Amino acid sequence: MTTRIVSAVRDVEAPAERIFELIADPASQPGWDGNANLTSAAAGQRVHAVGDVFVMTITTGDQRENHVVEFVEGRLIAWKPSEVGKDTPGHLWRWELEPLGPTRTRVTHTYDWTGLTDENRIARAEANTRDTLRASIDRLAAVAQSPSASDRP
């Protein structure tokens, strides 16, 4: 039996606000995505609320709409991807941030495919493991901790 909800957790030496900005700004995501699935996103799509939709270009050249379904500024963001103009197939990416102090944050990254209805996507969903989620957190941490990130909130 395959687990359809997978999470990874890591404490990161960076403020929650800085980490959240990197997640909430789709243009920055290709720089830290551990799945190496994203190539670009237009600037100016910063997420602000449930109901927002941002568009990413993936490595195949196709675009994906990402429908924000959970949002708490600075703490929580989750979205369901879909092909442009189509219903979401039912999988969700979630990021939760818990400040542990002014410069330390517990980051939880979850992939939930309990609602996935497209059988053609099952193999790809199964490939998202704790290790691949952790890779995204590790890359996100490296960007958040870099000197060039010091001018971000």
Side-chain angles (χ1 to χ4, degrees), residues 18 22 142-153:
R18 183 178 304 156
L22 291 166
V143 172
Q145 295 166 345
S146 74
S148 62
S150 63
D151 59 353
R152 296 183 186 119

Side-chain angles (χ1 to χ4, degrees), residues 6-7 23 29 32-38 54 58 64-71 76-82 89-96 108-113 121 124-129 132-134 136:
V6 182
S7 292
I23 299 167
Q29 290 183 19
W32 53 260
D33 171 48
N35 289 324
N37 189 42
L38 307 175
F54 61 93
I58 60 175
R64 292 291 180 263
E65 291 178 337
N66 295 281
H67 303 263
V68 178
V69 296
E70 299 173 14
F71 186 86
L76 170 69
I77 185 169
W79 59 84
K80 292 183 175 183
S82 71
H91 53 140
L92 175 134
W93 297 96
R94 179 183 295 116
W95 291 89
E96 298 170 89
T108 303
H109 184 28
T110 302
Y111 178 64
D112 179 344
W113 56 288
R121 296 176 187 267
R124 177 77 173 143
E126 289 174 332
N128 291 296
T129 65
T132 61
L133 297 177
R134 177 61 188 249
S136 286

Side-chain angles (χ1 to χ4, degrees), residues 7-152:
S7 292
V9 179
R10 177 182 164 190
D11 293 352
V12 175
E13 293 296 331
E17 295 80 12
R18 183 178 304 156
I19 296 168
F20 192 81
E21 281 304 313
L22 291 166
I23 299 167
D25 179 7
S28 73
Q29 290 183 19
W32 53 260
D33 171 48
N35 289 324
N37 189 42
L38 307 175
T39 59
S40 65
Q45 298 188 83
R46 203 281 193 188
V47 175
H48 294 282
V50 168
D52 285 357
V53 177
F54 61 93
V55 179
M56 305 288 299
T57 301
I58 60 175
T59 55
T60 62
D62 294 330
Q63 291 192 324
R64 292 291 180 263
E65 291 178 337
N66 295 281
H67 303 263
V68 178
V69 296
E70 299 173 14
F71 186 86
V72 176
E73 181 66 41
R75 300 293 178 263
L76 170 69
I77 185 169
W79 59 84
K80 292 183 175 183
S82 71
E83 293 179 30
V84 175
K86 297 193 176 182
D87 290 336
T88 63
H91 53 140
L92 175 134
W93 297 96
R94 179 183 295 116
W95 291 89
E96 298 170 89
L97 306 181
E98 177 188 348
L100 301 175
T103 61
R104 188 172 175 84
T105 306
R106 177 158 297 139
V107 178
T108 303
H109 184 28
T110 302
Y111 178 64
D112 179 344
W113 56 288
T114 55
L116 188 63
T117 57
D118 184 345
E119 292 295 322
N120 295 323
R121 296 176 187 267
I122 298 294
R124 177 77 173 143
E126 289 174 332
N128 291 296
T129 65
R130 178 171 287 133
D131 290 341
T132 61
L133 297 177
R134 177 61 188 249
S136 286
I137 297 174
D138 291 347
R139 289 183 67 182
L140 177 63
V143 172
Q145 295 166 345
S146 74
S148 62
S150 63
D151 59 353
R152 296 183 186 119

